[in-house]
């Protein structure tokens, strides 16, 4: 054997197991990490997505793991530091773009520690209140806020979360301060809102629609630029319409793997994601909850990466300008 042939044989021996593992992938269940508590909107999207990924992944089970804490940073760190074999994935939302501005010491890099698999959907938020709140529309709510300064509790899913971001923008727009009450996700916060332990919260329509319909919470506005077509939310004004100029928040969810995952495994996961995004059941389930399944260039890994980078560039100065940080 020449030196060159020997070198080739070594390279082939090193690559063989990688190739074999990519071909047989997945051979056991995949864990989909949700960085928030069960029962909230990210959890809801993850469970729907897990169901729709099963078929394109050859029947593999996708198990949802709620690794909640620190506004979504705990779950993201778990995936950033997991084995890069495709068996641990992350479903995260706009927090991937807001955490770099909001959290001073993130235990991972959004830009360097993840392989981007594609954007899943876009979801507006709703401003909701406890059922006993003595206001039935946004105008009355503003008056009530004015009369109760210093006594209003605003729930959120921790610093860096979507509810935190929306709540921060709301306080800024109204020029008032409320007491933030952090939870490990808006699932448990919703229980307290319905029970009257907290007064207000922003949350994605994927979680709030059913509770609004059942009149378990009051709704004061949606954060989308136009009213939503979803029957349960059709009558709800946009917050802009209600008087908050330029108030728009749209929450995107995206799928990530740890950086260093073999390209063939990433390919397999991305192809499965594309199939899930075309699944009529998934599209319909999301639509009924006010969400829109992504169908554009952001569903591609590079489109997803560029979109998150642009969102980081958009949100960081706004967040820093508002002077809100966490360590
Ligand atoms: N909606 C939450 C947030 O505010 C997270 C969740 O529980 O899904 O970020």
């Amino acid at each position: 054997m020449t030196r060159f042939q020997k070198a080739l044989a070594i390279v082939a021996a090193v690559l063989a197991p990688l190739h074999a593992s990519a071909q047989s992938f997945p051979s056991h269940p995949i864990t989909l990490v949700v960085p928030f508590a069960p029962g909230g909107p990210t959890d809801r999207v993850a469970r729907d997505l897990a169901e729709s990924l099963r078929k394109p992944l050859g029947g593999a089970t996708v198990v949802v793991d709620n690794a909640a804490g620190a506004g979504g940073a705990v779950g993201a760190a778990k995936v950033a530091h997991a084995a890069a074999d495709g068996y641990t994935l992350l479903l995260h939302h706009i927090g991937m773009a807001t955490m770099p501005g909001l959290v001073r010491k993130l235990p991972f890099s959004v830009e360097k520690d993840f392989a981007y698999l594609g954007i899943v959907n876009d979801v507006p938020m709703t401003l909701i209140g406890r059922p006993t709140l003595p206001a039935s529309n946004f105008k009355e709510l503003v008056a009530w806020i004015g009369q109760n300064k210093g006594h209003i509790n605003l729930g959120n899913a921790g610093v860096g979360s979507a509810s935190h971001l929306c709540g921060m923008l709301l306080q800024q727009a109204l020029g008032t301060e409320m007491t933030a009450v952090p939870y490990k996700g808006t699932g448990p916060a919703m229980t307290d809102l319905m029970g009257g332990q907290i007064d207000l919260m922003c949350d994605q329509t994927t979680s709030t629609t059913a509770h609004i319909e059942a009149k378990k919470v009051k709704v004061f506005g949606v954060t989308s630029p136009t009213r939503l077509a979803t029957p349960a939310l059709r009558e709800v004004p946009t917050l802009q319409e209600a008087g908050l100029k330029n108030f728009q928040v749209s929450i995107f969810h995206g799928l990530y793997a740890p950086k260093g995952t073999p390209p063939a495994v990433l390919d397999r996961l991305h192809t499965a994601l594309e199939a899930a995004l075309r699944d009529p059941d998934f599209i319909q389930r999301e639509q009924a909850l006010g969400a829109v399944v992504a169908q554009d260039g952001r569903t591609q890994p590079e489109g997803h990466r560029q979109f998150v980078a642009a969102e980081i560039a958009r949100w960081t100065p706004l967040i820093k300008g508002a002077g809100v940080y966490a360590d």
Side-chain angles (χ1 to χ4, degrees), residues 27 35 91 110 147 174 188 195 203 213 282 292 298 308 314:
S27 61
L91 184 82
V110 170
Q147 289 151 12
L174 293 176
D203 203 12
E213 213 170 4
F282 183 63
V292 179
R298 297 172 306 151
V308 171
R314 176 160 89 99

Side-chain angles (χ1 to χ4, degrees), residues 36-37 40-43 93 125 157 161-164 185-187 202-204:
F36 298 104
T42 314
D43 181 68
H93 62 19
M125 298 190 98
S161 65
S163 43
H164 174 243
T186 43
C202 280
D203 203 12
Q204 286 102 302

